[in-house]
Amino acid sequence: MTEEIEQELIEENEVVSLEILDDGVARLTIERESALNALNVETLLSLRDAIIDCAESEDVKVVILTGSGDKAFVAGADIAEMKDMTPLEARDFSHLGQDTFATIEACPKPVIAMVNGFALGGGLELAMACHLRVASSKAKLGLPETSLGLIPGFGGTQRLAQLAGAGVAREWILSADMFSAEEAHRVGVVNRLADPENLEAETFELARTLSSRGALAMKTANEVVRLGLEVGQSEGEASESDNFALLFSNEEAREGLKAFTEKRKPNW
Ligand code: DAK
């Protein structure tokens, strides 16, 4: 797809909204409530674009990603769009999805998935590509792809195994069942649970806490955790030491350490 066509699609379809709120918190909302926020090509393109905007904006310190309405975070890849894809289109779709999810994972600002309802298939994969997940206690999560004769295609086989272990990943993927938010929390897929009426408040509280932390330190920590998952413990620790040292060349750590000794908040 050419850049021009990509841009037109993004401008014509307001499928993702971006609001920048106080304290450097940005809220990205997937606006396809009538299709339970299913991920089609336009949505993936808009999402990738919006994440890049957040990454580049000096006004944004933390991103919250959610779905519109109170029923679904994202009910998966758009089945209606996928059903007529040729193998070549399916490959393009796969590349676009992988690129979008990689952009989220590599975002230099923390990205929190606010899981307000169904997070199924590509929707759960999207939540797992975010750095943290806060879920409504009424959310339902799962990877139903095998019930469609597919397997997760946006990194779900890997990320679920990393978050919850291979046993849970195999159970969720092979059974294609939906699991409660409590169960997802118990096995480590979800970081925090909230009553539906408190979901926004609790997610924003977490976001505001993160926005008060060292931005470069959080970016570095996210990168080192990610690298460690790819290369293993000993190379991961080597990168940890190098990055730890590198932070001492930056004003952020100087100010953070100084503020502690002066019993005040850092002035970043
Ligand atoms: N795609 C498109 N439309 C969807 C959708 C989806 N994933 N999920 C729901 N909708 C639409 C419904 O068609 C319906 O539209 P209308 O009929 O009103 O026009 C509307 O949203 C409301 O849904 P329901 O009427 O079904 O609502 P219910 O409360 O009865 O049921 C539900 C809610 C979430 C249980 C149900 O909608 C459902 O089962 N949805 C599908 C969930 C699912 O199977 N998701 C996984 C999709 S597969 C790959 C890349 C990616 C993937 C695989 C490979 N490669 C690149 C290799 C990913 C695959 C998937 O995500």
Side-chain angles (χ1 to χ4, degrees):
M1 195 173 306
T2 67
E3 269 181 35
E4 217 170 281
I5 296 174
E6 286 188 11
Q7 197 51 46
E8 273 173 26
L9 276 172
I10 289 164
E11 281 166 12
E12 282 170 18
N13 296 281
E14 290 275 322
V15 286
V16 174
S17 65
L18 167 59
E19 257 177 295
I20 301 179
L21 307 157
D22 295 345
D23 301 329
V25 180
R27 177 196 176 115
L28 280 181
T29 309
I30 298 176
E31 304 280 4
R32 293 195 73 216
E33 190 176 350
S34 62
L36 303 188
N37 303 314
L39 300 173
N40 59 4
V41 169
E42 289 98 313
T43 309
L44 288 170
L45 287 169
S46 298
L47 192 53
R48 187 180 64 183
D49 221 48
I51 288 284
I52 292 169
D53 285 348
C54 290
E56 289 174 352
S57 167
E58 286 188 4
D59 299 330
V60 175
K61 293 184 179 146
V62 181
V63 181
I64 293 174
L65 172 61
T66 194
S68 64
D70 57 6
K71 193 166 168 184
F73 171 70
V74 169
D78 190 316
I79 298 173
E81 192 178 75
M82 268 199 305
K83 78 177 181 1
D84 297 322
M85 279 180 189
T86 64
L88 281 180
E89 286 168 341
R91 192 180 60 179
D92 284 351
F93 184 62
S94 163
H95 288 161
L96 173 61
Q98 287 169 353
D99 192 40
T100 303
F101 285 31
T103 303
I104 293 171
E105 194 161 49
C107 180
K109 327 274 170 79
V111 184
I112 305 171
M114 181 163 77
V115 181
N116 50 316
F118 290 112
L120 301 174
L124 177 56
E125 293 179 286
L126 176 63
M128 293 193 295
C130 297
H131 303 122
L132 294 169
R133 285 149 294 282
V134 183
S136 153
S137 54
K138 77 164 184 39
K140 296 259 186 265
L141 302 90
L143 292 173
E145 283 86 346
T146 58
S147 70
L148 300 166
L150 297 171
I151 65 168
F154 294 146
T157 56
Q158 305 306 300
R159 290 198 180 97
L160 184 55
Q162 284 160 2
L163 286 172
V168 169
R170 287 203 169 95
E171 183 192 356
W172 283 38
I173 294 166
L174 302 185
S175 73
D177 280 343
M178 280 191 221
F179 295 85
S180 66
E182 283 82 1
E183 178 64 4
H185 183 242
R186 191 184 70 76
V187 299
V189 173
V190 158
N191 297 95
R192 297 186 184 189
L193 272 186
D195 293 334
E197 60 276 18
N198 295 331
L199 178 67
E200 293 232 357
E202 293 193 22
T203 310
F204 276 85
E205 193 186 315
L206 174 61
R208 291 200 176 95
T209 299
L210 301 191
S211 77
S212 72
R213 306 304 187 215
L216 181 64
M218 288 193 298
K219 169 180 181 283
T220 306
N222 261 338
E223 284 170 2
V224 175
V225 169
R226 175 73 241 154
L227 182 97
L229 290 170
E230 280 164 15
V231 299
Q233 178 89 13
S234 80
E235 275 185 63
E237 285 194 11
S239 164
E240 187 181 81
S241 308
D242 289 347
N243 278 287
F244 180 78
L246 211 52
L247 291 173
F248 281 78
S249 67
N250 193 277
E251 191 46 41
E252 182 180 285
R254 295 275 165 224
E255 166 61 9
L257 295 164
K258 188 159 174 268
F260 178 84
T261 59
E262 293 172 1
K263 301 189 188 307
R264 59 174 175 83
K265 288 195 171 155
N267 188 14
W268 285 319

